[in-house]
Amino acid sequence: MNSTAKSQTSIRKFEEFFATSYKDDVFEILEKYPDERSLSVDYNTLELFDPDLADLLIEKPEEVIEAAQTAIKNIDPLVKDADLNIRFENLSNVIQLKDLLSKYIGTFVAADGIVRKTDEIRPRIETGVFECRGCMRLHEVEQSSGNRIIEPSLCSECGGRSFRLLQEESKYIDTQTARMQEPLENLSGGTEPKQMLMVLEDDLVDELNPGDKVRITGTLKTFREERSGKFKNYIYVNHIEPLEQEFEELQLSEEDEEKIIELSKDPNIYDKIIKSTAPSIRGYRDVKEAIALQLFGGAAKQLEDETKLRGDIHILIVGDPGIGKSQILKYVSRLAPRSIYTSGKGTSGAGLTAAAVRDELGGWSLEAGALVLGDQGNVCVDELDKMRSEDRSALHEALEQQTVSIAKAGIMATLNSRCSVLAAANPKFGRFDRFKVLAEQIDLPSPILSRFDLIFVIEDKPSIEGDTKLADHILKIHQSNTVDYEIEPELLRKYIAYARKNVNPKLTDDANTVLREFYVSTRNSNSEEQAPVPITARQLEAIIRLAEASAKIKLKETVDKEDAEKAVRLQMACLREVGVDPETGEIDIEVMEGRTPTSEREKMQKVMEEVGLLEEEYGDQAPMNVLVSNMADKYDMSEEKVETIVRNLNQKGLIYFPTTGYLKRA
């Protein structure tokens, strides 16, 4: 049977297939044409109807899809002569990207991956209109998807061979290139993830965003690079199926919703959700409660003056090695959709924000980094303290404004990074010291620390009772390979999705009273004029977000007094752990946010004043030994403390050493 006869057979089969299996769908699409131009066909339905036709689709996709489009025109009752796209979903042979080798070129394939970057949308000539330079006759020529323009070979009127392309008269189609990378779970050892170029056309353009996890169905094709002369594979995309949606986009059935609403009526739902957070790790109730609240999130708001208030909660866990910080981060990255896990040592600033890379046509385009890929999800940054300071600065804008601004390679862009950040860091000296200020022990700057809503310090303290329970817990997990869930992870994920999508709680007057009293009383707890500032408005906003998340857990429309009290308790637990000045025992926000504590600033001031007095007495230079003895006599300050303060002042450029043993103010 020749190709024309085969084609006619395929068209007849498709006419019968559409008339029986997809009659209503075809009519519906035709009524909406040209606003809707694609008909989705289930491959399994086609295989049941005609296995040979389904096999032929895999082997000769272009011919079969063309036959299907012709069949639609033939059965079109509205005579619209509609150029519909036929898109095939649920293809049975899903192939890993690394296995898409030359033997698959020209066949219909499906592959899973994560979208790494998308290029700009460009027009492509579909039908070129050419004017003969001799007799002005117009000729239409169908164009291929390549870059080369195909001209008519000969003018049918005058036999001329010279033509001019009429660009405005020609027919165009939108086209876009994108790149996807194979999922992490498919990788082994040190293999680099395979990437694949994709070409999207017509109504598929602008459907993909960096970070999307998708199943791509299409024809594997190849093209020759002009510069190198080498061949390169790409997928001409026929259908896109999202594999993992954001929390808000998870599809919930009526049965799921009934289960969720029933679960929300459980009086112990709050505790059950906390216990279901990282259940393989024992203890750390406050940390688990905070992470549960982070997964639900507060309510994002946009004010009338376009000011945006974030609803996402950021958490930092600082702790001794070996206590399960990374395990908690990994659990959250698995539970939350659109979640990115990255480790500080191997992460650059461009890897967090966006990198400018050359696209296929030699222009520049942006490749999204972790904070952009995690938009509407969670970004877990392990070993935050190990990152280089210039790379860490990429976090500043993302944590507070929830955007990433890029100005490189002639591209100026602002990208969304509306994500919750869960970060972990180790103490600078290996273990945490209760009697030293937090800032001295974490290698993180104050602007970063101040942007976290909650900072937890987890210490690894030996205790016979606690260690026995922990050992039993670990041994039981290793022995049985099972974890006791209060709520199954899949149901918990759906519960969170439902809450984030449908619940937007508002503060009640009772909750407002609790929050106001906490804020005012904590700030004014010390009546002295130079007293440390315990909290700022930033902490108040953090508590509001926590209270809203607490209400979301119970699917309530209002933030009640109990939610406000839970949020206050959690914030105070953090302040007592992290924000206490070791010398005075008072809560000082400067300590929590990594700046110099008020008590330390006062001592610095006293040392500076004393240096000034000694300069007057000893002729423009202050002897170090006299300073040490005077500070001990006047303020009972130890020699070690004075030397530490002098070193700090020297680093800040306020004091210098003109000669050994003498000081001078800058």
Side-chain angles (χ1 to χ4, degrees):
M1 194 186 290
N2 63 29
S3 59
T4 311
K6 267 187 185 176
S7 174
Q8 289 301 322
T9 308
S10 298
I11 291 169
R12 281 198 302 276
K13 283 180 179 176
F14 268 116
E15 284 174 9
E16 189 185 337
F17 173 67
F18 288 134
T20 53
S21 305
Y22 278 85
K23 189 177 181 181
D24 295 341
D25 295 339
V26 169
F27 282 14
E28 198 177 317
I29 291 284
L30 287 170
E31 278 177 12
K32 294 176 182 175
Y33 184 83
D35 296 331
E36 282 192 26
R37 302 186 298 283
S38 290
L39 172 69
S40 288
V41 173
D42 192 325
Y43 178 80
N44 296 324
T45 311
L46 179 67
E47 199 169 32
L48 283 171
F49 173 77
D50 190 330
D52 294 338
L53 190 58
D55 289 345
L56 193 62
L57 171 66
I58 301 294
E59 291 164 27
K60 300 276 174 64
E62 290 190 344
E63 288 178 22
V64 174
I65 291 168
E66 199 177 312
Q69 289 170 331
T70 307
I72 291 274
K73 284 184 181 178
N74 292 351
I75 61 168
D76 177 3
L78 304 170
V79 198
K80 283 194 171 184
D81 198 25
D83 282 320
L84 285 185
N85 300 307
I86 312 297
R87 311 223 176 270
F88 292 93
E89 58 188 358
N90 297 330
L91 208 65
S92 51
N93 61 330
V94 179
I95 302 160
Q96 290 190 21
L97 284 184
K98 63 182 177 188
D99 296 329
L100 277 180
L101 303 173
S102 54
K103 65 177 179 179
Y104 289 106
I105 291 172
T107 64
F108 208 52
V109 295
D112 296 347
I114 300 166
V115 180
R116 287 290 300 145
K117 64 181 279 253
T118 54
D119 297 327
E120 63 178 294
I121 299 167
R122 294 186 169 98
R124 173 178 77 77
I125 288 189
E126 196 176 26
T127 307
V129 176
F130 296 87
E131 183 183 73
C132 174
R133 292 183 192 271
C135 64
M136 305 301 176
R137 182 183 168 88
L138 299 183
H139 300 264
E140 286 192 0
V141 181
E142 291 278 327
Q143 301 292 313
S144 68
S145 57
N147 294 330
R148 227 164 42 85
I149 299 288
I150 302 167
E151 292 190 350
S153 54
L154 195 71
C155 176
S156 55
E157 188 84 15
C158 67
R161 292 178 182 273
S162 180
F163 297 93
R164 183 166 68 92
L165 174 66
L166 301 178
Q167 293 186 12
E168 286 76 16
E169 308 291 324
S170 299
K171 189 179 170 190
Y172 293 86
I173 189 170
D174 291 324
T175 183
Q176 182 184 29
T177 56
R179 190 174 285 280
M180 78 170 174
Q181 170 185 306
E182 64 182 315
L184 289 175
E185 51 267 27
N186 293 354
L187 299 182
S188 60
T191 54
E192 193 180 327
K194 175 85 185 291
Q195 294 201 0
M196 177 64 74
L197 184 69
M198 299 178 287
V199 174
L200 310 155
E201 289 197 340
D202 202 14
D203 53 355
L204 288 181
V205 300
D206 225 12
E207 286 292 304
L208 294 177
N209 294 306
D212 289 349
K213 207 170 178 187
V214 289
R215 174 166 293 167
I216 294 295
T217 306
T219 310
L220 186 68
K221 295 188 174 187
T222 190
F223 72 96
R224 193 175 183 191
E225 287 185 318
E226 285 181 18
R227 280 187 228 156
S228 63
K230 292 179 180 175
F231 287 91
K232 197 170 185 179
N233 288 351
Y234 69 96
I235 294 177
Y236 182 76
V237 180
N238 173 266
H239 182 264
I240 298 167
E241 181 191 340
L243 290 181
E244 198 172 74
Q245 299 106 332
E246 297 152 17
F247 268 133
E248 286 85 342
E249 290 177 3
L250 279 180
Q251 298 300 314
L252 302 177
S253 63
E254 282 184 26
E255 189 186 335
D256 288 333
E257 291 193 8
E258 282 170 18
K259 267 190 204 170
I260 287 163
I261 290 161
E262 189 183 331
L263 193 58
S264 70
K265 291 172 182 168
D266 185 332
N268 299 320
I269 182 67
Y270 193 83
D271 288 330
K272 280 188 174 178
I273 283 175
I274 292 167
K275 284 176 184 169
S276 302
T277 306
S280 61
I281 294 163
R282 194 183 174 282
Y284 313 134
R285 179 179 162 104
D286 282 353
V287 177
K288 289 183 176 183
E289 184 176 348
I291 289 170
L293 293 173
Q294 184 188 46
L295 287 166
F296 282 84
K301 302 169 191 77
Q302 182 158 345
L303 309 183
E304 286 179 4
D305 64 352
E306 299 295 306
T307 305
K308 289 180 181 173
L309 301 177
R310 69 176 162 96
D312 293 305
I313 296 163
H314 304 316
I315 300 169
L316 173 66
I317 304 169
V318 182
D320 297 334
I323 52 165
K325 298 189 298 294
S326 300
Q327 205 64 25
I328 292 172
L329 265 63
K330 280 281 188 190
Y331 176 82
V332 172
S333 71
R334 283 194 300 271
L335 184 70
R338 277 192 87 98
S339 189
I340 307 292
Y341 175 91
T342 179
S343 187
K345 199 74 174 168
T347 304
S348 68
L352 274 178
T353 54
V357 292
R358 284 200 179 275
D359 62 20
E360 303 301 318
L361 298 169
W364 289 94
S365 64
L366 289 179
E367 192 162 315
L371 290 165
V372 180
L373 292 176
D375 184 39
Q376 304 279 27
N378 277 60
V379 174
C380 301
V381 186
D382 206 354
E383 310 272 355
L384 183 64
D385 53 312
K386 305 288 189 301
M387 285 176 71
R388 297 184 312 167
S389 56
E390 57 266 35
D391 294 331
R392 234 180 358 234
S393 62
L395 281 167
H396 288 212
E397 181 193 353
L399 285 170
E400 198 58 55
Q401 272 71 44
Q402 299 209 290
T403 54
V404 166
S405 298
I406 299 292
K408 50 175 93 168
I411 299 168
M412 295 192 73
T414 300
L415 310 170
N416 280 324
S417 64
R418 296 158 297 184
C419 54
S420 305
V421 175
L422 175 60
N426 287 324
K428 204 189 288 187
F429 306 111
R431 292 220 165 245
F432 203 78
D433 186 344
R434 274 271 160 240
F435 303 103
K436 282 187 179 171
V437 177
L438 178 74
E440 291 176 17
Q441 301 190 63
I442 315 177
D443 206 4
L444 291 174
S446 155
I448 292 252
L449 286 176
S450 67
R451 281 169 168 81
F452 284 101
D453 297 313
L454 295 170
I455 300 175
F456 290 98
V457 169
I458 306 176
E459 288 183 276
D460 188 13
K461 290 178 182 170
S463 90
I464 291 172
E465 187 188 347
D467 292 345
T468 305
K469 285 180 179 172
L470 178 61
D472 288 344
H473 176 74
I474 292 169
L475 291 165
K476 184 186 168 192
I477 287 174
H478 278 270
Q479 194 175 22
S480 61
N481 282 354
T482 56
V483 176
D484 295 331
Y485 291 110
E486 292 275 339
I487 302 170
E488 287 292 320
E490 199 49 45
L491 179 58
L492 179 58
R493 188 183 238 203
K494 288 176 179 174
Y495 190 96
I496 295 169
Y498 182 86
R500 285 178 71 128
K501 187 177 182 180
N502 300 305
V503 184
N504 209 5
K506 299 275 185 288
L507 287 161
T508 60
D509 292 342
D510 287 348
N512 277 351
T513 306
V514 171
L515 297 174
R516 189 189 308 112
E517 282 178 6
F518 163 73
Y519 179 67
V520 175
S521 62
T522 309
R523 270 182 74 84
N524 297 278
S525 55
N526 197 326
S527 56
E528 290 177 33
E529 198 171 316
Q530 292 298 315
V533 176
I535 59 168
T536 62
R538 224 173 213 166
Q539 277 66 45
L540 178 60
E541 289 201 338
I543 297 167
I544 293 168
R545 284 191 281 273
L546 293 167
E548 287 169 344
S550 170
K552 275 189 180 182
I553 285 182
K554 294 186 176 178
L555 305 186
K556 294 189 299 185
E557 290 300 327
T558 56
V559 179
D560 301 326
K561 185 181 175 184
E562 59 164 347
D563 300 310
E565 285 168 349
K566 278 176 184 161
V568 165
R569 188 200 66 75
L570 205 53
Q571 184 65 270
M572 279 308 290
C574 280
L575 285 169
R576 285 198 194 97
E577 286 281 317
V578 181
V580 173
D581 186 338
E583 293 213 6
T584 61
E586 291 179 355
I587 292 175
D588 185 350
I589 196 60
E590 309 285 353
V591 177
M592 185 167 183
E593 296 187 350
R595 294 187 288 271
T596 309
T598 307
S599 62
E600 193 75 6
R601 276 206 312 274
E602 286 172 2
K603 285 179 181 152
M604 286 180 168
Q605 194 64 40
K606 284 168 183 170
V607 169
M608 286 291 286
E609 286 168 6
E610 191 62 33
V611 171
L613 293 170
L614 290 173
E615 277 181 343
E616 289 173 17
E617 190 179 332
Y618 286 87
D620 215 27
Q621 288 188 14
M624 183 69 182
N625 58 348
V626 180
L627 174 69
V628 168
S629 75
N630 283 8
M631 294 309 290
D633 294 343
K634 288 183 181 179
Y635 306 109
D636 196 24
M637 206 180 286
S638 69
E639 182 179 349
E640 186 189 359
K641 189 70 189 173
V642 175
E643 286 174 355
T644 305
I645 289 173
V646 166
R647 267 200 309 275
N648 285 345
L649 290 169
N650 177 243
Q651 284 172 354
K652 288 179 162 60
L654 298 170
I655 277 179
Y656 67 98
F657 302 92
T659 53
T660 308
Y662 286 87
L663 302 170
K664 186 172 170 55
R665 288 181 302 174

